[in-house]
Amino acid sequence: MKKIALIIALIVFGNIIYGATLEKSKSIVEKKLFYVSHDCFRMETGKKVIYTDPFNIPNGAKRADIILITHQHQDHLQLESINKIADKNTVIIAPVSAEYELKNKVL
């Protein structure tokens, strides 16, 4: 499952980079990847911020445009961490099995 999530993250990240490159055809888009904790990473490109498996997110962390969740275990789907980085415009991509944990408990 982690491999699938990583592939999805790379596709999404690649599409954002590609799209941003098309929009700014004469400039280079800066890409950044940060380790946060456990299996949680933050990816940044252009104006987009993507998190994978939010866990132990520090206070004051950057807001997420996209959150990718591989599965519903506590160390990959921590509601407290999701609520620190999500807002009403954040897109959360997760397996159907995580729907119960996310529904009406995020934001």
Side-chain angles (χ1 to χ4, degrees):
M1 189 58 128
K2 288 183 184 180
K3 289 181 184 179
I4 293 171
L6 179 59
I7 291 168
I8 291 170
L10 292 174
I11 290 169
V12 170
F13 195 58
N15 284 336
I16 291 169
I17 294 168
Y18 181 71
T21 302
L22 289 177
E23 291 171 11
K24 300 177 182 181
S25 59
K26 294 185 179 183
S27 64
I28 297 173
V29 175
E30 187 174 345
K31 302 167 289 258
K32 298 177 184 177
L33 178 64
F34 301 93
Y35 174 75
V36 179
S37 69
H38 190 56
D39 284 338
C40 180
F41 289 86
R42 184 180 78 239
M43 296 171 272
E44 298 177 17
T45 180
K47 296 181 181 180
K48 299 292 183 187
V49 177
I50 304 167
Y51 284 87
T52 61
D53 290 333
F55 181 70
N56 288 342
I57 301 286
N59 290 329
K62 289 189 176 189
R63 303 302 283 176
D65 294 296
I66 301 170
I67 298 174
L68 303 171
I69 298 171
T70 57
H71 59 285
Q72 72 272 20
H73 290 166
Q74 173 66 17
D75 56 346
H76 296 265
L77 188 167
Q78 188 180 47
L79 295 174
E80 178 185 342
S81 287
I82 292 171
N83 284 322
K84 287 181 182 179
I85 57 174
D87 61 26
K88 65 179 181 162
N89 297 316
T90 301
V91 174
I92 299 176
I93 301 171
V96 173
S97 58
E99 181 180 12
Y100 176 77
E101 282 83 6
L102 293 168
K103 193 172 185 176
N104 301 319
K105 296 180 183 175
V106 175
L107 304 174

